[in-house]
Amino acid sequence: MLCYDNHVWLEQRPQSGIWGGLFCFPQNGSKEIQTQLDSRLITDRSIDSVQTLIAFRHTFSHYHLDITPVLVKLNKQPDLIMEGTKGLWYNLSQPEEVGLAAPVKQLIEALPFELN
């Protein structure tokens, strides 16, 4: 979860598949986040802190998704997030009306407490 100045970066999921068309945090299939940061041109100089938050399970009707959120606090907004990806800096103080997946809503609701 990339955070900068009370904003978090969300990316729109493809129309087909899980959470089709909804906005979500960038996802990574492994615990290694450096590749995600590198692909978004986020350097160590722009990172204030990296914190692994409490893992939780989101249950679908036919399977479970185990989520381990990683909060990356940035000291400057990256110039480039990812070409070809529809995304937005979501304002936690004045949230936009966009479709959010249920676990994303849950994480966003907890974020103001994490950012203090």
Side-chain angles (χ1 to χ4, degrees), residues 6-90:
N6 207 35
H7 290 73
V8 292
W9 176 251
L10 299 176
E11 295 175 349
Q12 189 170 31
R13 304 271 308 170
Q15 291 299 319
S16 62
I18 185 174
W19 299 317
L22 298 178
F23 281 86
C24 296
F25 291 106
Q27 292 178 255
N28 189 9
S30 75
K31 292 186 178 187
E32 172 56 46
I33 66 163
Q34 193 58 51
T35 304
Q36 291 278 337
L37 297 174
D38 291 344
S39 70
R40 289 166 174 78
L41 302 178
I42 298 172
T43 64
D44 289 343
R45 290 188 312 269
S46 62
I47 297 173
D48 277 339
S49 66
V50 177
Q51 179 184 8
T52 301
L53 305 177
I54 297 170
F56 65 97
R57 174 173 278 186
H58 181 74
T59 302
F60 295 88
S61 59
H62 53 289
Y63 69 97
H64 302 290
L65 178 63
D66 293 317
I67 300 170
T68 303
V70 178
L71 179 63
V72 179
K73 294 182 186 177
L74 303 172
N75 56 41
K76 69 176 195 165
Q77 187 173 344
D79 294 330
L80 173 69
I81 294 295
M82 202 165 185
E83 286 185 45
T85 299
K86 183 177 179 188
L88 62 91
W89 283 103
Y90 185 84

